[in-house]
Every structure is written in C-alpha cells, then in structure tokens.
Amino acid sequence: MPDQTTTQPRYIVVEREEPIATAIINRPEKLNALNWDLVAELADALETLDHDDAIHCIVLTGAGERAFAAGADIAEMATASPAQMALGPFEGWDRIRRVKKPIIAAVSGFALGGGNELAMHADIIIASEKAKFGQPEILLGIMCGAGGTQRLARTLGKYRAMELCLTGEQASAQNMYDWGLVNRVTPDGQQLEEAKKLARKIAAQAPLAAVLTKEAILAAFETPLEAGLLYEKRLFALLFSTEDQREGMQAFLEKRPAKFKGR
Ligand code: COA
C-alpha cells in the first residue's frame, strides 16, 4: 500500500517555468515504472499545479531517454492481493484524471502498460520518433487496468485496440500518429521542447476558457451528442461572466493583443 507518511516526493520532480510547469517522473533506473507511491506523488504534484493560478498548462514527461514509463511496477504487483490492487493504485489515477488544466505528455522511449495509460490521461501527446507505445499486460497474464482498453478503443477504434491489447505488441510513434493517438512526432530528443512550446502557446490563452474547453471535450466521451451540445452551450455562456471574455473581445476590436488574467 502507498506509504501515507511520505511527505517529500521521492519520484516526482516539478520544474516551474511560469505560466507552464513540467512534472517529471524520476525513476529512470526502473524505466520510470509506476509504483503506487509514485502514482500518489504524481497525483499530488498535478493537483498542486492544478490549484496554482500562476500555472496554466502542465507538461508531463519521464526522466531519461529510455522511457516515459514502462508500466505499473511489476515487482510490486507480483505478489499483490486483489484487495491491494483494488485499493492501492486507483485513487491516484482517478485524481490524475480529474486535473482540470490542460496536460501535454512528452513521450520518449517506452510508454507501455500504465505508461501508455498515463500518456492517455494527458490531453495532447508529443512523441519522439523513437517512442514505443503498447499494452503488454496480456504477456503477464493480466489486462489493462487504468483505462487502456477504454481509451484505446475510443481513440484507435475497436480493431486496432483489440490487436494491441490482445498481442501486447508495441506500436511506433509514427503508427500512433497515423492512428490519432499522438499529436506530433519529433526528432528524438526534441519532444520535451516541442511539448513546452505548445504548452506556452496554450498557457497564453484565457485560462478559464482553456479549462472549460478541456472539460467540454472530455464530456464528448461521456455524453450523447444532444446532451454534449447543451453542456457546451452552458459552458460557453458561463465564460461571458469572465473579465477575460470582455478583454479578449475588446482587444480584438481595438486591434491589440489581449491581456488575459484568468478571471
Ligand atoms: N516494473 C518494474 N520494473 C521494471 C518495469 C516494470 N514495469 N519495466 C522495467 N523495469 C525495470 C527492470 O526490472 C530493470 O530493473 P533492474 O535493472 O533492477 O533489473 C530496469 O527497469 C531496466 O529494464 P530492463 O528490462 O532491463 O530493460 P530492457 O531494455 O531489457 O527492456 C522493456 C525494456 C521495457 C522491454 C522491459 O523492461 C519490459 O518489458 N518492461 C515491462 C513492460 C510491461 O510489461 N509493462 C506493463 C506492466 S503491467
């Protein structure tokens, strides 16, 4: 079970370059394998950034060239009981899923199992040309547990999701780009800078509009079109209560750049 007494993060490094921040999974000697403490620390770090008004967009990456994350920690899971598996890791994953600010994953090397599932918790994925994606759980006698079957099916479609999850084979960054999971493929080593560049662009937008846009797009996966359209309309109207809406439109009319304040 996660060590509740831990106060200093052991596995996560946060680098702030306001208005963006980068959360780095820092366990390269184990290819950034996601043990339960690590997932809890990552959720803590992302929640803290989510509540920080100075940060508008978050980049998520793995330390080292070799892996974004090579999956859940197999050594930890090998002898786990069903109750430990039910209670141990999933609270952290749910907290990561609920982060409101846009998250961009910068993937180099392996994004396998929980690593691929974590990348899919991000809103945009930038990958090195050498990145490898996959869900190898079936090779261990188990299956995806942090959203892999659901998010792959929604993004890649049934047939590609079936093949990846049923064979455990890895897909290249170019494959994932062609199939719609990766936004951009960069030369190896440039994925983090490209992700930060995009994060700065997103961070320059009106922050409340960005948060509600993320919420609306994610709602598209949960709702029928009619309900989703209504939800979007309500969020759209809500933004007319913000100073940034006034500023954005006034700036356009005055032919000057907008100065957004996140209010
Ligand atoms: N859990 C725990 N430890 C892991 C791990 C994981 N998911 N993935 C890698 N590691 C550890 C290895 O045990 C090794 O530790 P060691 O040096 O103390 O022996 C270290 O990370 C380096 O990995 P290694 O396997 O030696 O590197 P490789 O280049 O030979 O192979 C992979 C790379 C990614 C192909 C291989 O590590 C692998 O298959 N990992 C598991 C992927 C997986 O099944 N993920 C889903 C889990 S549900």
Side-chain angles (χ1 to χ4, degrees), residues 213-231:
T213 297
K214 170 170 174 169
E215 186 174 327
I217 291 173
L218 290 180
F221 296 97
E222 311 284 342
T223 49
L225 184 59
E226 191 70 29
L229 291 172
L230 180 61
Y231 192 55

Side-chain angles (χ1 to χ4, degrees), residues 127-131 133 171-180 182 185:
S128 147
E129 63 194 350
K130 291 195 178 158
F133 298 81
S172 67
Q174 187 60 44
N175 282 151
M176 285 305 205
Y177 175 82
D178 293 341
W179 299 341
V182 162
V185 181

Side-chain angles (χ1 to χ4, degrees), residues 31-225:
L31 302 184
N32 299 322
L34 307 166
N35 66 28
W36 300 337
D37 285 345
L38 188 159
V39 173
E41 282 182 14
L42 179 60
D44 288 345
L46 294 177
E47 279 179 347
T48 301
L49 294 172
D50 207 22
H51 294 132
D52 185 335
D53 288 343
I55 301 300
H56 299 173
C57 188
I58 302 164
V59 174
L60 174 60
T61 195
E65 300 290 300
R66 293 207 58 218
F68 175 74
D73 189 320
I74 299 169
E76 188 176 56
M77 287 190 297
T79 56
S81 69
Q84 281 175 315
M85 287 313 298
L87 299 172
F90 288 108
E91 193 230 347
W93 287 97
D94 286 339
R95 288 162 58 206
I96 294 167
R97 181 166 61 86
R98 286 195 290 267
V99 171
K100 293 187 167 68
K101 286 178 186 160
I103 301 177
I104 303 177
V107 177
S108 77
F110 297 109
L112 300 178
N116 189 40
E117 289 169 309
L118 182 62
M120 290 193 290
H121 277 62
D123 304 302
I124 289 174
I125 303 176
I126 309 292
S128 147
E129 63 194 350
K130 291 195 178 158
K132 294 279 185 193
F133 298 81
Q135 298 292 158
E137 289 89 342
I138 198 149
L139 306 174
L140 301 167
I142 57 167
M143 60 177 283
C144 304
T149 59
Q150 302 306 296
R151 291 196 175 90
L152 282 175
R154 281 168 166 78
T155 306
L156 271 52
K158 169 183 162 184
Y159 302 96
R160 288 184 177 125
M162 285 285 184
E163 187 174 342
L164 278 178
C165 295
L166 291 174
T167 65
E169 280 176 3
Q170 296 171 13
S172 67
Q174 187 60 44
N175 282 151
M176 285 305 205
Y177 175 82
D178 293 341
W179 299 341
L181 187 125
V182 162
N183 293 67
R184 294 181 198 174
V185 181
T186 71
D188 192 36
Q190 291 180 27
Q191 66 286 339
L192 182 56
E193 203 34 62
E194 184 69 16
K196 287 185 180 180
K197 203 166 112 191
L198 188 54
R200 283 191 281 271
K201 191 177 226 180
I202 292 170
Q205 315 306 322
L208 296 172
V211 162
L212 294 191
T213 297
K214 170 170 174 169
E215 186 174 327
I217 291 173
L218 290 180
F221 296 97
E222 311 284 342
T223 49
L225 184 59

